[in-house]
Amino acid sequence: MYLDPWKPVDKAIISHGHADHSRWGHKAYITHHINVPIIKHRLGEINVTGKEWGETFTIKNVKFSLHPAGHIIGSSQIRVEHKGEVWVFTGDYKTEDDGVATPYEPIKCHTFITECTFGLPAFKWRPQSEVFNDINTWWSDNKAEGKTSVIFGYSLGKAQRLLRYLDTDIGKIYTHGAIENMTEVIRPLSPMPETTRVTRETKKEELLGNIVVAPPSAHGSTWIRKMVPYVTASASGWMAFRGARRRRAIDKGFILSDHCDWQGLLESVEATGAEKIISTHGYTDIFTRYLLEQGYDARTEATQYEGELGEETEKEQE
Ligand SMILES: [Zn+2]
């Protein structure tokens, strides 16, 4: 039994649908039932079993259960219990309730295996309501200037979070094909606003003043030329880095992450009551050093998880 394995195995428990956690080639998949249609969309006809939150299943005397991780829709932490010893594997997670994913719940455990994509004290997120106010104001300003707004977010997770809070009183929401395809899968699972797919037939005049949600890979592609005159923005935790927006030649950066910030990580570690903390990906060394100073038994474990980078490098087809 493996959790989010990166090599093909017989039995895999999958935390969530991002490409760096749900790989192709396992003989059997177990995941939360909300994630079943999502990973089927990505991986095709796989042998997958869906579980409820907190539903216990036993494999060779080890008890497993899935608990909300709040990262993206259908994302789980995986609780593992054997002879009274409890470990929790977070996969990716965030503590803020984004209104789309089932909100994160801290789980008591002895050992906590945590991601720390943004495990630096400099990362401190604002409440998403403030960020979405900024995004909608930006859209409205672009419209007043007669421009199309193009905002980049990963096709699974970030895109639906954007869709949920874009203000359709300003204009219409258009989507890149990769985002429309994924959103069609998610519509029966979570309410989404009306969207229109950008196709070859879409005229640039009809896009003017409206907003287009696209995956990061669409930036710099021929696809985006249809949007002229347009203004670009990225909604990502990486936008907190000085220079990240300029390096990517994006007009505007909105700091919006589906991962914990520094405080979120620390509060989560504390809420689990765990004494052993294992960090899997992100700023693991800095986070681990800090935890050691606080008296935790902390270490880093090398994995192939990539946090937001893994979500971005996923191949996104139009
Ligand atoms: Zn993820």
Side-chain angles (χ1 to χ4, degrees):
M1 174 56 64
Y2 294 83
L3 314 184
D4 289 359
W6 44 83
K7 286 180 183 165
V9 300
D10 286 346
K11 274 189 185 157
I13 304 182
I14 300 295
S15 66
H16 68 288
H18 283 143
D20 53 333
H21 292 262
S22 56
R23 300 272 180 106
W24 189 82
H26 309 312
K27 287 207 176 97
Y29 293 74
I30 298 172
T31 193
H32 190 270
H33 65 79
I34 297 174
N35 191 36
V36 169
I38 295 170
I39 56 171
K40 277 189 166 174
H41 171 72
R42 284 208 33 249
L43 302 174
E45 270 315 306
I46 51 170
N47 170 15
V48 54
T49 310
K51 300 287 181 191
E52 293 286 351
W53 300 125
E55 179 185 345
T56 303
F57 50 101
T58 304
I59 299 163
K60 293 197 172 169
N61 292 323
V62 181
K63 279 202 275 186
F64 295 88
S65 53
L66 306 177
H67 304 268
H71 169 55
I72 60 165
I73 186 163
S75 64
S76 306
Q77 306 173 76
I78 303 166
R79 182 185 184 276
V80 183
E81 180 179 347
H82 182 247
K83 292 182 177 168
E85 170 93 10
V86 178
W87 289 39
V88 168
F89 169 74
T90 65
D92 291 333
Y93 70 112
K94 73 170 176 294
T95 47
E96 185 180 26
D97 177 2
D98 71 7
V100 182
T102 309
Y104 169 81
E105 282 173 20
I107 306 296
K108 291 279 175 209
C109 58
H110 301 99
T111 297
F112 188 52
I113 308 174
T114 178
E115 67 133 320
C116 58
T117 304
F118 292 106
L120 289 180
F123 292 113
K124 183 168 175 27
W125 311 144
R126 292 157 65 214
Q128 70 166 14
S129 56
E130 292 179 15
V131 180
F132 281 108
N133 274 338
D134 290 353
I135 291 173
N136 285 315
T137 302
W138 169 80
W139 176 13
S140 183
D141 291 348
N142 298 337
K143 185 183 178 175
E145 290 175 16
K147 289 176 179 163
T148 300
S149 303
V150 182
I151 189 161
F152 301 110
Y154 315 119
S155 62
L156 170 57
K158 190 64 61 63
Q160 291 77 34
R161 196 173 169 195
L162 287 167
L163 291 177
R164 173 69 61 82
Y165 298 104
L166 288 174
D167 182 357
T168 50
D169 287 343
I170 301 170
K172 275 178 80 175
I173 305 173
Y174 284 81
T175 47
H176 180 280
I179 285 174
E180 189 60 28
N181 293 343
M182 185 52 85
T183 304
E184 276 172 13
V185 175
I186 290 169
R187 271 182 204 286
L189 310 169
S190 181
M192 289 287 140
E194 193 186 320
T195 53
T196 306
R197 182 192 297 260
V198 175
T199 65
R200 285 177 210 286
E201 285 70 46
T202 308
K203 301 271 180 291
K204 72 179 203 180
E205 294 74 25
E206 68 178 279
L207 293 171
L208 279 181
N210 293 316
I211 196 163
V212 182
V213 183
S217 57
H219 187 39
S221 69
T222 54
W223 177 86
I224 205 171
R225 287 190 206 143
K226 195 192 273 286
M227 319 296 158
V228 175
Y230 63 86
V231 186
T232 56
S234 178
S236 165
W238 296 115
M239 290 297 122
F241 268 124
R242 199 184 296 252
R245 181 187 58 76
R246 228 177 329 108
R247 263 198 308 280
R248 293 169 197 215
I250 286 164
D251 299 316
K252 181 86 182 164
F254 296 106
I255 303 168
L256 187 72
S257 179
D258 286 324
H259 298 263
C260 289
D261 63 7
W262 174 260
Q263 204 55 38
L265 288 169
L266 291 179
E267 283 167 11
S268 302
V269 163
E270 204 174 315
T272 63
E275 286 169 3
K276 275 192 187 169
I277 313 295
I278 302 171
S279 302
T280 53
H281 56 294
Y283 290 97
T284 48
D285 293 345
I286 290 159
F287 190 60
T288 295
R289 203 179 317 140
Y290 182 83
L291 292 177
L292 286 168
E293 284 167 13
Q294 305 304 307
Y296 286 97
D297 176 1
R299 66 182 170 90
T300 293
E301 189 74 59
T303 69
Q304 292 185 9
Y305 311 132
E306 298 166 78
E308 281 210 16
L309 290 174
E311 287 140 31
E312 183 175 43
T313 52
E314 182 172 2
K315 288 243 181 306
E316 314 253 25
Q317 302 298 325
E318 189 175 333

